[in-house]
Amino acid sequence: PPFTADQQHGIDFHAVAERWLKRGEMPGDDAAGRALRQAIHLAPPPGPDNRCEEPFALDLGSAGGPYGAALIGFIDFVSPGIAGRVLVGDWKTTKDLRWAKSEEDLRTDSQAVVYAARAFQAHAAEVVETRWLYTAYDRKLGRPKGARAVSVEWTEESLLPAWQKILGVSERLVQLRRAGKDAGPEAA
């Protein structure tokens, strides 16, 4: 099925953001470019070490059941920082910044927790920063409406309680699946 106009804007935006992060290619004057320009100061500097749309498969260990399980996805960007630090980010396009999560929300956000766990697993990091970059854009008027960054810094110790909650939900879903019951997210 075709994408909605908002979905297409998000797709276009991510493509422009990737070119900026990897090659420093300045965004154009189309809607995606204008949306990125308002948020560019919140992003890490461009460079070849930035990885965009980084695929991952995060092993759930014993919570995955007897046959194992993994969380699979793509991280919008991973940027190496100063020694021992990694920045993991996600671009969020929205019509209004009121939809932006708070730092408190991000501390319990399953996507942020999984991204941080993945960063600790894949990189020799002492600190992982998860940063959600929100950019609001009024497509009808063709103009940006603002940008905001929300971030949380994690140590492995500070991440552990939130990660254990993810593992507990995963384990419950595996148990439900084995029992032949609906194993959707609401079931856990």
Side-chain angles (χ1 to χ4, degrees):
F3 297 110
T4 67
D6 290 335
Q7 289 170 328
Q8 189 61 56
H9 174 71
I11 292 166
D12 295 344
F13 177 88
H14 278 77
V16 170
E18 184 172 333
R19 290 193 300 271
W20 159 255
L21 284 172
K22 287 176 127 175
R23 300 189 296 270
E25 185 178 311
M26 288 303 293
D29 197 38
D30 61 345
R34 288 190 300 273
L36 177 60
R37 279 201 308 270
Q38 72 176 343
I40 220 165
H41 67 285
L42 302 171
D49 291 336
N50 291 328
R51 290 180 300 285
C52 298
E53 294 301 323
E54 182 174 78
F56 71 91
L58 187 60
D59 183 8
L60 293 175
S62 62
Y67 304 108
L71 296 171
I72 299 170
F74 293 87
I75 298 174
D76 281 358
F77 66 87
V78 177
S79 183
I82 303 166
R85 298 180 60 89
V86 173
L87 169 63
V88 178
D90 198 70
W91 294 104
K92 303 290 188 185
T93 57
T94 182
K95 291 180 182 178
D96 196 305
L97 290 177
R98 71 179 178 201
W99 301 114
K101 292 182 183 283
S102 67
E103 183 179 321
E104 185 178 322
D105 294 332
L106 204 56
R107 287 189 184 285
T108 58
D109 181 75
S110 58
Q111 182 184 12
V113 171
V114 167
Y115 282 13
R118 166 61 178 147
F120 280 117
Q121 183 186 63
H123 306 280
E126 296 171 22
V127 175
V128 171
E129 177 187 351
T130 51
R131 184 185 304 170
W132 274 204
L133 297 169
Y134 292 89
T135 178
Y137 191 81
D138 187 326
R139 283 186 310 94
K140 290 180 181 162
L141 297 176
R143 64 176 188 201
K145 292 173 54 180
R148 178 181 307 156
V150 179
S151 60
V152 171
E153 289 191 353
W154 306 88
T155 62
E156 286 187 88
E157 184 179 336
S158 70
L159 179 65
L160 191 58
W163 178 241
Q164 287 175 328
K165 185 175 178 182
I166 298 275
L167 291 176
V169 168
S170 300
E171 192 168 18
R172 178 72 179 132
L173 292 173
V174 168
Q175 290 170 353
L176 288 169
R177 173 71 72 139
R178 272 192 262 152
K181 298 182 179 170
D182 179 19
E186 304 81 29

